[in-house]
Every structure is written in structure tokens, then in C-alpha cells.
Amino acid sequence: MTPPRLVVRTREIDHVEDLLPFTSPSHPKAWIRRGDGMVGYGTAYAFSGNGAETYGSLADGWKQLSAAADIDDPLGLPGTGLVAFGALAFDARSHRDSVLSVPRVIVGRRGGRSWVTTITHADAGAGDEARDLLGDGDGPLEPIETPYGPHWSGTLGPGEQSPAGYMAAVQAGLDAIAAGEVGKVVLARDLRGSVPVGSDLRRLARALASDYPDTWVFAVDGLIGASPETLVTVHGGTVTARVLAGTTPRGADADADTAAASALASSPKDTDEHEFAVQSVLASLRPHTRALAASDAPFTLKLPNVWHLATDVEGELRGAASALDLVSALHPTAAVAGTPTAAAVELIHRIEPFDRGRYAGPVGWIDAHGDGEWAIALRCAQFDAAAAPGAPIAATAYAGAGIVAGSDPETELIETRVKFRPIVDALA
């Protein structure tokens, strides 16, 4: 199918303090970290699909769409010009589509500069399609804010995987490890519930951005969360990634917190799990890079509710690979699947009683140059439109833990409870 020719215009605007009022209350598109990032409104064009070839077809379709676009972007900053927001399924067998969506209007902020991008079809009037989303008048077009709706709270309860069922699943994973089927497997559980009809979902993103400013706060096609884990960033030929694997709760006071971080850094179980994840990323990136380096030892990354073991990876891109090509090469990493990857994914498919959808899949954005930022969709929930008028909005949250030899089912269950906290607290 021949893609349409899109007309893309980026212009600098006055400083934007809060990006979220410029996206839809019911269908927000957002990518924010430490206040910078961008939000989108409406849909100028979208790709979607599922199955084994989806990632490759999305990458090819994006290249064609970008090549055909008429782009006027005098700023040239990461996130300006033609941009698509994406949320991709964890498993090719998922019933949930992977999506790549180009908004009609994007408002962004980075490094003290703010901008608006309008995206229209070449065969449409240049201003007609975006006129309802931008101010009208004699001067430059300015994006329109939509005030936040009233506060709301959601409810979450047991999902398809109960706490007892999860501990049994962990034991099944340990049995598979003992049998030599895998060296590591990441197992998740779910919480299910709802939020009131008409809820302004931007409030959830706002709460996450406030409480977890160092994470990637994202909202794409009903998937909303705050991920601490960068899958891959591509900018100007440089490739970076941050690997997180190995987790422990924060301590109750300063001494206990220091002890928790030290125990994590010296834990053979956690350092082994982390090394699995680092080697998985390095092996996936090497074919696409000229030079690639990772820190010699992991560092402890402090978040409001947990400590993680973390390793930063950086390389120089080789060839014309785009961020989506690297996403396809990297996913799924050992941090969210296990090792060997294919065997771990099969084990997850056999043990978990639910479809992960886009949980633990890639989420982020890509521009016309193939640059972009992608995280792993963690600390998140999927919101689905009401099945009937006036019905609540269904919500499903997910959390998982890495299982290696020596893992304890009850300890892993506690780890999932800690990882649920960001989304559960924000919903409350």
C-alpha cells in the first residue's frame, strides 16, 4: 500500500510549562521525562498489525512514509519534524496489535525550547485538518490547552494470575531452569479493574511524572506507565541503552536503604540475572554497530520505591539501521524474557495464564531520520474503551520478576508487589 504524502511543519513557540494539557484527556499520546518530551493530539496516520513480521513491516512502512513526507523543520531537535508514537506487543502471538501512530498536532519541549508540529495530508487544506486543535487568528498558530478534568480514582484487584498461582508459576520456572530448559525466565502477573467513565487519563500520566521524574512516562493507545528502562536511543549515529535487571525494595530508613543497595550489589543471584540481561543486549546490538561498550560492573540505580542493578551501553551505529530496526533486533531482552530468549518466551507462553499484550514490549517514538527513544513498557497499565456506553474503562496492570536458580517464589511475589506500587498508587 502506497503511503500518503504528509505535510509536516514545525515552529518554535513560547515556553510550555506542562505538556499534558495539549493532548487528549481520553486518548493521550505522551513521552515525558523530567518535564521534557512531547505529546500528540489526533491521528494523521497510523500503522498497526500483529504476527511474526510486524516489527519489520512497521519499520519498512515508516521508512516509506518518511521518504514521501514534505517536512519543514527549522529546529532540528530530537522530537521535531515528523514523529510517530509507538507501542508494540511483547509476543508475536498476542491478540493486541502493535501500533505506530502519527499525531495531527505535536507539542514538545527540550533543552529550554518549545515547539508545535502540525501534520496534514498533502491533498487536504494545509490548515483545515489541524484548525480545531490550534488557535486561529492573524498571528502564528498556537496549540490549544484542554484543562484537566476532575480527579478520579480507579480500582484494581486480582487478575488471571493470583498470588498463589504466581508462586506456583515461579516454581514451574525453577523446575525448567533445573531441567536445563532455560537459564533465566521473567514471569509476570496481572491486576485487573476499572476507572470511572469519562476519566481524564492525563491525570494518571501527570501523577507518574510527578512521583517518578527520572522514568520515561508514556501514553500510547491506552497503554500508560512510567518505565525506568531504556531499550534503545538512537541520535545522530550514536546508540545508547540502559539495562536494568536485579531489584530490591528501598529500605525504611537511611541505614536500611544503604544496606539494601549493598546487598543487591553483592547478591550472586541478582548479579547473575543482571549479567544475562547485559549480554543479551550486547549480542543484539553488535551486528548493527561499529563500536560498542558497556561499563565493567553494574551500578545501583535508586528509584522512589526500589533499587535496580543498572548498566549503560553505548555504541556507534553502522549502516542505515533505524531505531525501529534496533528495537526489532533487541526485543525481547533477557531483562523481560530470559535466556535463551526463544526458549524463555516459549516458557512464558506456557506458564502465564494471560496475554501480556504490550506489557514488557517496546514503547517510544521515531522520527523521519530513523532516530528515536524507546523504553520497555514496565510499571504500566492498559486502558480499554468501555464495552458499552456509560460503562467504566477497563484497566489491566502488570508486573514481573526475573527467575534464576536460587530464586524464592515468595520473594519474587513480594518483588512484583513493589513493582505494582507506581501504577497502583497513581490510580488511587
Side-chain angles (χ1 to χ4, degrees), residues 167-204:
M167 288 193 289
V170 171
Q171 187 57 57
L174 288 168
D175 293 343
I177 291 168
E181 186 177 343
V182 294
K184 171 190 174 181
V185 63
V186 180
L187 295 174
R189 67 186 185 100
D190 60 327
L191 297 176
R192 296 179 184 258
S194 64
V195 301
V197 62
S199 294
D200 186 340
L201 296 178
R202 299 172 304 177
R203 283 199 173 276
L204 175 61

PDB file of all heavy atoms in Angstrom, residues 167-204:
ATOM      1  N   MET A 167       3.183 -17.825  42.614  1.00  0.00           N
ATOM      2  CA  MET A 167       4.241 -18.590  43.270  1.00  0.00           C
ATOM      3  C   MET A 167       4.372 -19.983  42.650  1.00  0.00           C
ATOM      4  O   MET A 167       5.490 -20.503  42.506  1.00  0.00           O
ATOM      5  CB  MET A 167       3.971 -18.677  44.771  1.00  0.00           C
ATOM      6  CG  MET A 167       4.210 -17.350  45.490  1.00  0.00           C
ATOM      7  SD  MET A 167       4.279 -17.481  47.297  1.00  0.00           S
ATOM      8  CE  MET A 167       2.548 -17.824  47.644  1.00  0.00           C
ATOM      9  N   ALA A 168       3.246 -20.576  42.244  1.00  0.00           N
ATOM     10  CA  ALA A 168       3.313 -21.870  41.557  1.00  0.00           C
ATOM     11  C   ALA A 168       3.998 -21.723  40.199  1.00  0.00           C
ATOM     12  O   ALA A 168       4.768 -22.608  39.778  1.00  0.00           O
ATOM     13  CB  ALA A 168       1.904 -22.437  41.385  1.00  0.00           C
ATOM     14  N   ALA A 169       3.747 -20.600  39.522  1.00  0.00           N
ATOM     15  CA  ALA A 169       4.397 -20.352  38.234  1.00  0.00           C
ATOM     16  C   ALA A 169       5.901 -20.189  38.413  1.00  0.00           C
ATOM     17  O   ALA A 169       6.695 -20.689  37.596  1.00  0.00           O
ATOM     18  CB  ALA A 169       3.792 -19.108  37.582  1.00  0.00           C
ATOM     19  N   VAL A 170       6.307 -19.486  39.477  1.00  0.00           N
ATOM     20  CA  VAL A 170       7.742 -19.335  39.756  1.00  0.00           C
ATOM     21  C   VAL A 170       8.376 -20.706  39.991  1.00  0.00           C
ATOM     22  O   VAL A 170       9.474 -20.988  39.483  1.00  0.00           O
ATOM     23  CB  VAL A 170       7.968 -18.410  40.966  1.00  0.00           C
ATOM     24  CG1 VAL A 170       9.436 -18.429  41.397  1.00  0.00           C
ATOM     25  CG2 VAL A 170       7.541 -16.984  40.630  1.00  0.00           C
ATOM     26  N   GLN A 171       7.696 -21.557  40.720  1.00  0.00           N
ATOM     27  CA  GLN A 171       8.241 -22.899  40.950  1.00  0.00           C
ATOM     28  C   GLN A 171       8.350 -23.672  39.634  1.00  0.00           C
ATOM     29  O   GLN A 171       9.340 -24.403  39.417  1.00  0.00           O
ATOM     30  CB  GLN A 171       7.348 -23.659  41.939  1.00  0.00           C
ATOM     31  CG  GLN A 171       7.938 -25.008  42.356  1.00  0.00           C
ATOM     32  CD  GLN A 171       9.322 -24.875  42.953  1.00  0.00           C
ATOM     33  OE1 GLN A 171       9.518 -24.157  43.926  1.00  0.00           O
ATOM     34  NE2 GLN A 171      10.306 -25.563  42.360  1.00  0.00           N
ATOM     35  N   ALA A 172       7.367 -23.500  38.752  1.00  0.00           N
ATOM     36  CA  ALA A 172       7.452 -24.145  37.440  1.00  0.00           C
ATOM     37  C   ALA A 172       8.645 -23.613  36.648  1.00  0.00           C
ATOM     38  O   ALA A 172       9.321 -24.370  35.927  1.00  0.00           O
ATOM     39  CB  ALA A 172       6.157 -23.920  36.661  1.00  0.00           C
ATOM     40  N   GLY A 173       8.890 -22.313  36.788  1.00  0.00           N
ATOM     41  CA  GLY A 173      10.063 -21.739  36.138  1.00  0.00           C
ATOM     42  C   GLY A 173      11.353 -22.299  36.704  1.00  0.00           C
ATOM     43  O   GLY A 173      12.301 -22.603  35.962  1.00  0.00           O
ATOM     44  N   LEU A 174      11.413 -22.459  38.041  1.00  0.00           N
ATOM     45  CA  LEU A 174      12.601 -23.035  38.675  1.00  0.00           C
ATOM     46  C   LEU A 174      12.809 -24.484  38.230  1.00  0.00           C
ATOM     47  O   LEU A 174      13.961 -24.917  38.023  1.00  0.00           O
ATOM     48  CB  LEU A 174      12.461 -22.960  40.195  1.00  0.00           C
ATOM     49  CG  LEU A 174      12.591 -21.557  40.801  1.00  0.00           C
ATOM     50  CD1 LEU A 174      12.146 -21.556  42.262  1.00  0.00           C
ATOM     51  CD2 LEU A 174      14.026 -21.065  40.678  1.00  0.00           C
ATOM     52  N   ASP A 175      11.724 -25.219  38.061  1.00  0.00           N
ATOM     53  CA  ASP A 175      11.835 -26.599  37.564  1.00  0.00           C
ATOM     54  C   ASP A 175      12.414 -26.618  36.155  1.00  0.00           C
ATOM     55  O   ASP A 175      13.244 -27.483  35.824  1.00  0.00           O
ATOM     56  CB  ASP A 175      10.465 -27.279  37.583  1.00  0.00           C
ATOM     57  CG  ASP A 175       9.929 -27.503  38.998  1.00  0.00           C
ATOM     58  OD1 ASP A 175      10.730 -27.438  39.961  1.00  0.00           O
ATOM     59  OD2 ASP A 175       8.705 -27.724  39.134  1.00  0.00           O
ATOM     60  N   ALA A 176      11.990 -25.665  35.311  1.00  0.00           N
ATOM     61  CA  ALA A 176      12.506 -25.589  33.940  1.00  0.00           C
ATOM     62  C   ALA A 176      13.990 -25.215  33.944  1.00  0.00           C
ATOM     63  O   ALA A 176      14.765 -25.718  33.113  1.00  0.00           O
ATOM     64  CB  ALA A 176      11.701 -24.578  33.133  1.00  0.00           C
ATOM     65  N   ILE A 177      14.392 -24.352  34.870  1.00  0.00           N
ATOM     66  CA  ILE A 177      15.806 -23.983  34.993  1.00  0.00           C
ATOM     67  C   ILE A 177      16.624 -25.197  35.436  1.00  0.00           C
ATOM     68  O   ILE A 177      17.695 -25.490  34.887  1.00  0.00           O
ATOM     69  CB  ILE A 177      15.970 -22.812  35.976  1.00  0.00           C
ATOM     70  CG1 ILE A 177      15.370 -21.528  35.372  1.00  0.00           C
ATOM     71  CG2 ILE A 177      17.440 -22.589  36.329  1.00  0.00           C
ATOM     72  CD1 ILE A 177      15.230 -20.392  36.365  1.00  0.00           C
ATOM     73  N   ALA A 178      16.111 -25.939  36.422  1.00  0.00           N
ATOM     74  CA  ALA A 178      16.815 -27.125  36.913  1.00  0.00           C
ATOM     75  C   ALA A 178      16.948 -28.190  35.829  1.00  0.00           C
ATOM     76  O   ALA A 178      17.942 -28.940  35.788  1.00  0.00           O
ATOM     77  CB  ALA A 178      16.079 -27.698  38.128  1.00  0.00           C
ATOM     78  N   ALA A 179      15.963 -28.246  34.932  1.00  0.00           N
ATOM     79  CA  ALA A 179      15.991 -29.224  33.843  1.00  0.00           C
ATOM     80  C   ALA A 179      16.865 -28.776  32.671  1.00  0.00           C
ATOM     81  O   ALA A 179      17.014 -29.513  31.690  1.00  0.00           O
ATOM     82  CB  ALA A 179      14.569 -29.489  33.346  1.00  0.00           C
ATOM     83  N   GLY A 180      17.432 -27.546  32.758  1.00  0.00           N
ATOM     84  CA  GLY A 180      18.293 -27.056  31.686  1.00  0.00           C
ATOM     85  C   GLY A 180      17.550 -26.444  30.517  1.00  0.00           C
ATOM     86  O   GLY A 180      18.157 -26.138  29.484  1.00  0.00           O
ATOM     87  N   GLU A 181      16.244 -26.218  30.684  1.00  0.00           N
ATOM     88  CA  GLU A 181      15.451 -25.654  29.582  1.00  0.00           C
ATOM     89  C   GLU A 181      15.805 -24.190  29.349  1.00  0.00           C
ATOM     90  O   GLU A 181      15.896 -23.733  28.209  1.00  0.00           O
ATOM     91  CB  GLU A 181      13.970 -25.806  29.913  1.00  0.00           C
ATOM     92  CG  GLU A 181      13.033 -25.387  28.798  1.00  0.00           C
ATOM     93  CD  GLU A 181      11.574 -25.615  29.152  1.00  0.00           C
ATOM     94  OE1 GLU A 181      11.280 -26.378  30.100  1.00  0.00           O
ATOM     95  OE2 GLU A 181      10.709 -25.017  28.466  1.00  0.00           O
ATOM     96  N   VAL A 182      16.004 -23.431  30.434  1.00  0.00           N
ATOM     97  CA  VAL A 182      16.400 -22.020  30.360  1.00  0.00           C
ATOM     98  C   VAL A 182      17.374 -21.736  31.503  1.00  0.00           C
ATOM     99  O   VAL A 182      17.445 -22.491  32.485  1.00  0.00           O
ATOM    100  CB  VAL A 182      15.188 -21.058  30.480  1.00  0.00           C
ATOM    101  CG1 VAL A 182      14.250 -21.192  29.282  1.00  0.00           C
ATOM    102  CG2 VAL A 182      14.434 -21.281  31.790  1.00  0.00           C
ATOM    103  N   GLY A 183      18.124 -20.630  31.367  1.00  0.00           N
ATOM    104  CA  GLY A 183      18.970 -20.172  32.459  1.00  0.00           C
ATOM    105  C   GLY A 183      18.269 -19.135  33.309  1.00  0.00           C
ATOM    106  O   GLY A 183      18.575 -18.971  34.489  1.00  0.00           O
ATOM    107  N   LYS A 184      17.326 -18.405  32.680  1.00  0.00           N
ATOM    108  CA  LYS A 184      16.547 -17.373  33.360  1.00  0.00           C
ATOM    109  C   LYS A 184      15.222 -17.235  32.645  1.00  0.00           C
ATOM    110  O   LYS A 184      15.147 -17.360  31.412  1.00  0.00           O
ATOM    111  CB  LYS A 184      17.286 -16.034  33.340  1.00  0.00           C
ATOM    112  CG  LYS A 184      16.449 -14.858  33.842  1.00  0.00           C
ATOM    113  CD  LYS A 184      17.127 -13.517  33.592  1.00  0.00           C
ATOM    114  CE  LYS A 184      16.214 -12.358  33.969  1.00  0.00           C
ATOM    115  NZ  LYS A 184      16.828 -11.040  33.716  1.00  0.00           N
ATOM    116  N   VAL A 185      14.171 -16.971  33.406  1.00  0.00           N
ATOM    117  CA  VAL A 185      12.876 -16.650  32.803  1.00  0.00           C
ATOM    118  C   VAL A 185      12.221 -15.547  33.636  1.00  0.00           C
ATOM    119  O   VAL A 185      12.338 -15.526  34.869  1.00  0.00           O
ATOM    120  CB  VAL A 185      11.961 -17.885  32.729  1.00  0.00           C
ATOM    121  CG1 VAL A 185      11.619 -18.436  34.118  1.00  0.00           C
ATOM    122  CG2 VAL A 185      10.682 -17.568  31.946  1.00  0.00           C
ATOM    123  N   VAL A 186      11.596 -14.584  32.960  1.00  0.00           N
ATOM    124  CA  VAL A 186      10.904 -13.483  33.634  1.00  0.00           C
ATOM    125  C   VAL A 186       9.411 -13.781  33.605  1.00  0.00           C
ATOM    126  O   VAL A 186       8.820 -13.916  32.521  1.00  0.00           O
ATOM    127  CB  VAL A 186      11.193 -12.139  32.952  1.00  0.00           C
ATOM    128  CG1 VAL A 186      10.457 -11.014  33.675  1.00  0.00           C
ATOM    129  CG2 VAL A 186      12.695 -11.875  32.936  1.00  0.00           C
ATOM    130  N   LEU A 187       8.812 -13.885  34.784  1.00  0.00           N
ATOM    131  CA  LEU A 187       7.393 -14.232  34.882  1.00  0.00           C
ATOM    132  C   LEU A 187       6.615 -13.069  35.472  1.00  0.00           C
ATOM    133  O   LEU A 187       7.057 -12.424  36.433  1.00  0.00           O
ATOM    134  CB  LEU A 187       7.223 -15.481  35.745  1.00  0.00           C
ATOM    135  CG  LEU A 187       7.848 -16.762  35.156  1.00  0.00           C
ATOM    136  CD1 LEU A 187       7.749 -17.909  36.149  1.00  0.00           C
ATOM    137  CD2 LEU A 187       7.170 -17.133  33.829  1.00  0.00           C
ATOM    138  N   ALA A 188       5.456 -12.808  34.899  1.00  0.00           N
ATOM    139  CA  ALA A 188       4.636 -11.658  35.293  1.00  0.00           C
ATOM    140  C   ALA A 188       3.304 -12.121  35.860  1.00  0.00           C
ATOM    141  O   ALA A 188       2.882 -13.264  35.680  1.00  0.00           O
ATOM    142  CB  ALA A 188       4.403 -10.751  34.088  1.00  0.00           C
ATOM    143  N   ARG A 189       2.663 -11.202  36.554  1.00  0.00           N
ATOM    144  CA  ARG A 189       1.270 -11.403  36.952  1.00  0.00           C
ATOM    145  C   ARG A 189       0.498 -10.120  36.690  1.00  0.00           C
ATOM    146  O   ARG A 189       1.079  -9.077  36.391  1.00  0.00           O
ATOM    147  CB  ARG A 189       1.148 -11.848  38.403  1.00  0.00           C
ATOM    148  CG  ARG A 189       1.541 -10.837  39.442  1.00  0.00           C
ATOM    149  CD  ARG A 189       1.498 -11.479  40.829  1.00  0.00           C
ATOM    150  NE  ARG A 189       1.759 -10.528  41.901  1.00  0.00           N
ATOM    151  CZ  ARG A 189       0.831  -9.965  42.656  1.00  0.00           C
ATOM    152  NH1 ARG A 189      -0.453 -10.234  42.444  1.00  0.00           N
ATOM    153  NH2 ARG A 189       1.155  -9.120  43.618  1.00  0.00           N
ATOM    154  N   ASP A 190      -0.816 -10.200  36.765  1.00  0.00           N
ATOM    155  CA  ASP A 190      -1.665  -9.078  36.380  1.00  0.00           C
ATOM    156  C   ASP A 190      -2.624  -8.704  37.492  1.00  0.00           C
ATOM    157  O   ASP A 190      -2.956  -9.513  38.362  1.00  0.00           O
ATOM    158  CB  ASP A 190      -2.465  -9.418  35.107  1.00  0.00           C
ATOM    159  CG  ASP A 190      -3.378 -10.631  35.293  1.00  0.00           C
ATOM    160  OD1 ASP A 190      -3.008 -11.551  36.062  1.00  0.00           O
ATOM    161  OD2 ASP A 190      -4.455 -10.682  34.672  1.00  0.00           O
ATOM    162  N   LEU A 191      -3.047  -7.435  37.471  1.00  0.00           N
ATOM    163  CA  LEU A 191      -4.152  -6.939  38.293  1.00  0.00           C
ATOM    164  C   LEU A 191      -5.173  -6.342  37.335  1.00  0.00           C
ATOM    165  O   LEU A 191      -4.804  -5.678  36.371  1.00  0.00           O
ATOM    166  CB  LEU A 191      -3.680  -5.867  39.273  1.00  0.00           C
ATOM    167  CG  LEU A 191      -2.666  -6.275  40.338  1.00  0.00           C
ATOM    168  CD1 LEU A 191      -2.251  -5.059  41.161  1.00  0.00           C
ATOM    169  CD2 LEU A 191      -3.223  -7.362  41.252  1.00  0.00           C
ATOM    170  N   ARG A 192      -6.443  -6.567  37.614  1.00  0.00           N
ATOM    171  CA  ARG A 192      -7.489  -6.085  36.712  1.00  0.00           C
ATOM    172  C   ARG A 192      -8.513  -5.266  37.477  1.00  0.00           C
ATOM    173  O   ARG A 192      -8.803  -5.529  38.642  1.00  0.00           O
ATOM    174  CB  ARG A 192      -8.165  -7.247  35.972  1.00  0.00           C
ATOM    175  CG  ARG A 192      -7.183  -7.970  35.059  1.00  0.00           C
ATOM    176  CD  ARG A 192      -7.755  -9.131  34.304  1.00  0.00           C
ATOM    177  NE  ARG A 192      -6.700  -9.781  33.546  1.00  0.00           N
ATOM    178  CZ  ARG A 192      -6.491  -9.634  32.246  1.00  0.00           C
ATOM    179  NH1 ARG A 192      -7.287  -8.844  31.547  1.00  0.00           N
ATOM    180  NH2 ARG A 192      -5.506 -10.262  31.637  1.00  0.00           N
ATOM    181  N   GLY A 193      -9.067  -4.252  36.805  1.00  0.00           N
ATOM    182  CA  GLY A 193     -10.056  -3.403  37.433  1.00  0.00           C
ATOM    183  C   GLY A 193     -10.604  -2.407  36.446  1.00  0.00           C
ATOM    184  O   GLY A 193     -10.705  -2.695  35.252  1.00  0.00           O
ATOM    185  N   SER A 194     -10.941  -1.209  36.937  1.00  0.00           N
ATOM    186  CA  SER A 194     -11.550  -0.220  36.052  1.00  0.00           C
ATOM    187  C   SER A 194     -11.360   1.176  36.622  1.00  0.00           C
ATOM    188  O   SER A 194     -11.026   1.350  37.800  1.00  0.00           O
ATOM    189  CB  SER A 194     -13.049  -0.505  35.873  1.00  0.00           C
ATOM    190  OG  SER A 194     -13.736  -0.371  37.115  1.00  0.00           O
ATOM    191  N   VAL A 195     -11.583   2.163  35.770  1.00  0.00           N
ATOM    192  CA  VAL A 195     -11.639   3.564  36.194  1.00  0.00           C
ATOM    193  C   VAL A 195     -12.974   4.119  35.706  1.00  0.00           C
ATOM    194  O   VAL A 195     -13.574   3.605  34.759  1.00  0.00           O
ATOM    195  CB  VAL A 195     -10.449   4.377  35.631  1.00  0.00           C
ATOM    196  CG1 VAL A 195      -9.132   3.781  36.107  1.00  0.00           C
ATOM    197  CG2 VAL A 195     -10.479   4.450  34.119  1.00  0.00           C
ATOM    198  N   PRO A 196     -13.469   5.178  36.349  1.00  0.00           N
ATOM    199  CA  PRO A 196     -14.805   5.675  36.006  1.00  0.00           C
ATOM    200  C   PRO A 196     -14.907   6.142  34.556  1.00  0.00           C
ATOM    201  O   PRO A 196     -13.926   6.612  33.957  1.00  0.00           O
ATOM    202  CB  PRO A 196     -15.001   6.848  36.976  1.00  0.00           C
ATOM    203  CG  PRO A 196     -14.065   6.579  38.104  1.00  0.00           C
ATOM    204  CD  PRO A 196     -12.889   5.891  37.499  1.00  0.00           C
ATOM    205  N   VAL A 197     -16.068   6.022  34.006  1.00  0.00           N
ATOM    206  CA  VAL A 197     -16.332   6.513  32.659  1.00  0.00           C
ATOM    207  C   VAL A 197     -16.008   7.998  32.586  1.00  0.00           C
ATOM    208  O   VAL A 197     -16.276   8.762  33.514  1.00  0.00           O
ATOM    209  CB  VAL A 197     -17.806   6.246  32.255  1.00  0.00           C
ATOM    210  CG1 VAL A 197     -18.772   6.974  33.159  1.00  0.00           C
ATOM    211  CG2 VAL A 197     -18.046   6.602  30.802  1.00  0.00           C
ATOM    212  N   GLY A 198     -15.394   8.416  31.496  1.00  0.00           N
ATOM    213  CA  GLY A 198     -15.061   9.822  31.312  1.00  0.00           C
ATOM    214  C   GLY A 198     -13.819  10.292  32.051  1.00  0.00           C
ATOM    215  O   GLY A 198     -13.522  11.488  32.075  1.00  0.00           O
ATOM    216  N   SER A 199     -13.065   9.375  32.662  1.00  0.00           N
ATOM    217  CA  SER A 199     -11.870   9.775  33.409  1.00  0.00           C
ATOM    218  C   SER A 199     -10.852  10.456  32.498  1.00  0.00           C
ATOM    219  O   SER A 199     -10.616  10.023  31.366  1.00  0.00           O
ATOM    220  CB  SER A 199     -11.216   8.547  34.064  1.00  0.00           C
ATOM    221  OG  SER A 199     -12.039   7.997  35.056  1.00  0.00           O
ATOM    222  N   ASP A 200     -10.241  11.514  33.009  1.00  0.00           N
ATOM    223  CA  ASP A 200      -9.162  12.196  32.299  1.00  0.00           C
ATOM    224  C   ASP A 200      -7.883  11.416  32.569  1.00  0.00           C
ATOM    225  O   ASP A 200      -7.259  11.549  33.631  1.00  0.00           O
ATOM    226  CB  ASP A 200      -9.043  13.636  32.811  1.00  0.00           C
ATOM    227  CG  ASP A 200      -8.032  14.467  32.031  1.00  0.00           C
ATOM    228  OD1 ASP A 200      -7.162  13.866  31.368  1.00  0.00           O
ATOM    229  OD2 ASP A 200      -8.103  15.701  32.086  1.00  0.00           O
ATOM    230  N   LEU A 201      -7.470  10.574  31.610  1.00  0.00           N
ATOM    231  CA  LEU A 201      -6.329   9.694  31.812  1.00  0.00           C
ATOM    232  C   LEU A 201      -5.001  10.447  31.886  1.00  0.00           C
ATOM    233  O   LEU A 201      -3.985   9.891  32.318  1.00  0.00           O
ATOM    234  CB  LEU A 201      -6.284   8.643  30.698  1.00  0.00           C
ATOM    235  CG  LEU A 201      -7.483   7.681  30.661  1.00  0.00           C
ATOM    236  CD1 LEU A 201      -7.354   6.712  29.503  1.00  0.00           C
ATOM    237  CD2 LEU A 201      -7.620   6.924  31.977  1.00  0.00           C
ATOM    238  N   ARG A 202      -5.003  11.706  31.488  1.00  0.00           N
ATOM    239  CA  ARG A 202      -3.780  12.501  31.626  1.00  0.00           C
ATOM    240  C   ARG A 202      -3.393  12.663  33.092  1.00  0.00           C
ATOM    241  O   ARG A 202      -2.215  12.861  33.405  1.00  0.00           O
ATOM    242  CB  ARG A 202      -3.967  13.871  30.977  1.00  0.00           C
ATOM    243  CG  ARG A 202      -4.271  13.831  29.489  1.00  0.00           C
ATOM    244  CD  ARG A 202      -4.624  15.211  28.974  1.00  0.00           C
ATOM    245  NE  ARG A 202      -5.739  15.812  29.721  1.00  0.00           N
ATOM    246  CZ  ARG A 202      -6.200  17.039  29.509  1.00  0.00           C
ATOM    247  NH1 ARG A 202      -5.640  17.806  28.584  1.00  0.00           N
ATOM    248  NH2 ARG A 202      -7.211  17.514  30.213  1.00  0.00           N
ATOM    249  N   ARG A 203      -4.376  12.594  33.969  1.00  0.00           N
ATOM    250  CA  ARG A 203      -4.073  12.727  35.395  1.00  0.00           C
ATOM    251  C   ARG A 203      -3.179  11.581  35.887  1.00  0.00           C
ATOM    252  O   ARG A 203      -2.334  11.767  36.770  1.00  0.00           O
ATOM    253  CB  ARG A 203      -5.357  12.792  36.219  1.00  0.00           C
ATOM    254  CG  ARG A 203      -6.046  14.154  36.140  1.00  0.00           C
ATOM    255  CD  ARG A 203      -7.024  14.341  37.285  1.00  0.00           C
ATOM    256  NE  ARG A 203      -7.555  15.695  37.320  1.00  0.00           N
ATOM    257  CZ  ARG A 203      -6.949  16.720  37.898  1.00  0.00           C
ATOM    258  NH1 ARG A 203      -5.772  16.544  38.485  1.00  0.00           N
ATOM    259  NH2 ARG A 203      -7.499  17.919  37.897  1.00  0.00           N
ATOM    260  N   LEU A 204      -3.366  10.391  35.338  1.00  0.00           N
ATOM    261  CA  LEU A 204      -2.512   9.267  35.699  1.00  0.00           C
ATOM    262  C   LEU A 204      -1.077   9.531  35.232  1.00  0.00           C
ATOM    263  O   LEU A 204      -0.120   9.345  36.001  1.00  0.00           O
ATOM    264  CB  LEU A 204      -3.045   7.979  35.061  1.00  0.00           C
ATOM    265  CG  LEU A 204      -2.190   6.741  35.261  1.00  0.00           C
ATOM    266  CD1 LEU A 204      -2.049   6.400  36.733  1.00  0.00           C
ATOM    267  CD2 LEU A 204      -2.775   5.558  34.489  1.00  0.00           C
TER     268      LEU A 204
END
